[in-house]
Amino acid sequence: MDPRTHQLLHGPIAPTLIRLAIPSTLIIVAQLIAGLAETWWVSRLGTEALAAMALVFPVLMLCQMMSSGAMGGGISSAVARALGAGDVQQARVLFFHAMAIAVVMGAIFTLAVVGGGRWLYAMLGAGEEAIVILANRYSNWLFAGAILIWVFNALASVIRGCGNMWVPARIILWGTALLLLLSPPLIVGWGPWPGVGMLGGAWALLLYYALGSLALLLHLLSPASLLRPRWADAVFQRAMFLRILGVGLAAMLSAACTNLAIATATSLMGRLGPEVVAGYGTAARLEYIMVALVFGLGSPLVAMVGTCIGAGERSRALRVTWIGAAMAVAMTESVGLLATAFPQVWMRAFNQDAAVIEAGSLYLHWVGPWYGFFGLGLVLYFASQGAARMFWPVLANGLRLIIAAGGGLLAWTWGGGPEAVFLTQALGLGAYGVLMAWAVWRGVWFR
């Protein structure tokens, strides 16, 4: 048995989980710094640019969440279960199936967003034509390279499924440093170079994914890799696709519910003007940061739970899950309470407009205290990927969508205003976490 697999099955749970979470957390911190830095540089271009970025951001996050946390979780889970059962050859075959899925899904995103972006951003409530045009131009460049995003995250997920968290971490950290160097001159200029505005951020991001994909592939083919896939392993089988898609497609549906809930609120806030949608979009980034933070813990959780399930160690899989859940709740609730207590600190980092700050602070006041429930539901979602049991995560996120989006639309129609919309979002997070915890506690994984 590979030493990494042995550690996942027999190592002390909390220390092993923390040790594996360190590289993933470093990745998240680095990516958050890069994302926040890009938002700060774009905010130098004006409120219209910030509002346009707020419209594109949920779509970009949907692509990243589906390729990394959703389908990527399905890939990691399938590889981990194969290795837990001692079948390295099956894991090699799964690599080629993962790459095929990534290319197809990336192409679908390119066709959908490049072809329908203008309609999408107008539907999200941009209000002003200039903002729609700006958002569409930015997203056209960004999603022209959607295949790169999907391939990058699929390669990283294969490696994480092997229990190796440090290789993706090192590559992503170097890539993030490159992003921090390239984004400022490309967005706002440097010396005689005038910059190209928001498009510069898209160019830098695509270069990051291209170089990162190459580095991850070279590692998988090297002697240091556990898999070392060969062309002889590229024999496509329906059963292998189903091992990935059975988890990945359900997880994608769950991720779509998360983004649709935020997109609905974005559309409603857009009716109040660009300042309000910019404020809400900036504040709602904190929810995506929660996703990223829990992903740092969720990636090793998928590998540990999947390996334990593959080896038949059910009780250990549950112990791993609840320990990870306690860590996630403590982390996300701490951030939520800080955001609730000091919302203007977060908002003023990106914009000084009073209307922008007021809208974002109002959102954080209502939703911030509920982030612990979101962290609970999300970490159990990742654990369910490892167990290949995705019915309840989809159901729980669907309930959240009904409460947050459906309830928000009703509240708006009845004249409730932004406060009522934000309250429904908070209640949706609470329902998501409670239902997920109840389902796992009741033992639905093993029925």
Side-chain angles (χ1 to χ4, degrees):
M1 182 180 291
D2 179 77
R4 288 193 183 93
T5 304
H6 184 273
Q7 183 69 17
L8 296 179
L9 288 173
H10 304 292
I13 292 174
T16 300
L17 191 57
I18 292 171
R19 180 177 59 82
L20 293 176
I22 288 173
S24 299
T25 303
L26 288 175
I27 291 172
I28 298 309
V29 171
Q31 289 181 325
L32 290 177
I33 291 172
L36 295 176
E38 184 184 13
T39 303
W40 190 87
W41 287 111
V42 169
S43 72
R44 304 304 97 187
L45 304 175
T47 300
E48 282 192 352
L50 196 60
M53 193 174 197
L55 292 176
V56 178
F57 190 69
V59 186
L60 174 60
M61 284 305 299
L62 178 64
C63 180
Q64 291 177 334
M65 288 170 65
M66 284 188 169
S67 59
S68 181
M71 191 63 72
I75 293 168
S76 293
S77 174
V79 172
R81 281 179 282 132
L83 294 176
D87 195 341
V88 178
Q89 177 60 28
Q90 184 182 104
R92 290 180 180 138
V93 174
L94 284 166
F95 162 79
F96 288 98
H97 290 73
M99 293 301 102
I101 291 170
V103 171
V104 171
M105 293 303 304
I108 291 173
F109 259 88
T110 296
L111 293 173
V113 180
V114 174
R118 189 180 182 87
W119 167 83
L120 175 63
Y121 302 128
M123 186 186 68
L124 285 175
E128 299 181 10
E129 180 68 13
I131 296 177
V132 174
I133 293 173
L134 194 59
N136 191 50
R137 186 181 304 154
Y138 172 64
S139 76
N140 280 350
W141 274 98
L142 196 57
F143 286 96
I147 289 178
L148 290 175
I149 299 175
W150 275 84
V151 167
F152 175 89
N153 285 320
L155 289 166
S157 297
V158 169
I159 297 172
R160 292 191 187 104
C162 298
N164 189 337
M165 307 295 163
W166 274 111
V167 167
R170 293 190 188 99
I171 292 171
I172 291 173
L173 289 173
W174 279 109
T176 302
L178 179 65
L179 269 179
L180 290 172
L181 289 173
L182 290 179
S183 292
L186 287 173
I187 293 172
V188 298
W190 190 276
W193 166 255
V196 292
M198 292 180 68
L199 299 186
W203 295 356
L205 198 60
L206 292 179
L207 182 61
Y208 158 75
Y209 280 117
L211 295 178
S213 297
L214 179 61
L216 290 168
L217 180 60
L218 289 176
H219 166 77
L220 276 169
L221 298 176
S222 73
S225 170
L226 173 62
L227 296 189
R228 295 188 299 279
R230 302 155 298 184
W231 281 115
D233 302 316
V235 179
F236 293 106
Q237 306 168 33
R238 181 174 176 270
M240 294 297 101
F241 279 118
L242 291 178
R243 285 182 71 85
I244 296 173
L245 294 175
V247 174
L249 289 178
M252 284 176 62
L253 182 58
S254 182
C257 291
T258 296
N259 284 271
L260 187 55
I262 294 177
T264 301
T266 301
S267 175
L268 294 174
M269 295 306 105
R271 301 175 188 181
L272 299 177
E275 291 81 11
V276 177
V277 75
Y280 168 72
T282 302
R285 269 183 175 263
L286 200 57
E287 185 171 329
Y288 286 115
I289 288 175
M290 296 302 99
V291 175
L293 287 175
V294 177
F295 177 78
L297 187 63
S299 292
L301 201 62
V302 171
M304 288 190 73
V305 172
T307 303
C308 292
I309 293 293
E313 297 286 346
R314 292 183 172 186
S315 60
R316 179 177 172 85
L318 284 173
R319 290 198 303 272
V320 168
T321 297
W322 289 119
I323 290 173
M327 295 177 182
V329 171
M331 179 170 54
T332 53
E333 185 63 15
S334 298
V335 174
L337 292 177
L338 284 173
T340 304
F342 309 103
Q344 294 191 359
V345 174
W346 172 263
M347 296 303 302
R348 289 186 185 278
F350 303 101
N351 198 285
Q352 301 301 315
D353 188 298
V356 173
I357 294 172
E358 181 181 359
S361 298
L362 185 64
Y363 164 83
L364 293 174
H365 170 76
W366 284 98
V367 183
W370 297 77
Y371 277 161
F373 289 98
F374 184 46
L376 175 62
L378 196 59
V379 77
L380 295 178
Y381 154 86
F382 282 114
S384 297
Q385 284 185 315
R389 294 292 184 269
M390 292 302 296
F391 172 78
W392 284 95
V394 173
L395 183 64
N397 228 339
L399 177 62
R400 178 209 171 174
L401 177 62
I402 291 171
I403 295 173
L409 286 169
L410 285 176
W412 185 271
T413 302
W414 294 339
E419 296 90 343
V421 174
F422 297 155
L423 175 60
T424 61
Q425 288 195 310
L427 294 175
L429 295 183
Y432 175 49
V434 169
L435 183 56
M436 279 300 303
W438 176 86
V440 175
W441 175 70
R442 292 289 294 173
V444 295
W445 286 358
F446 308 123
R447 291 180 184 172

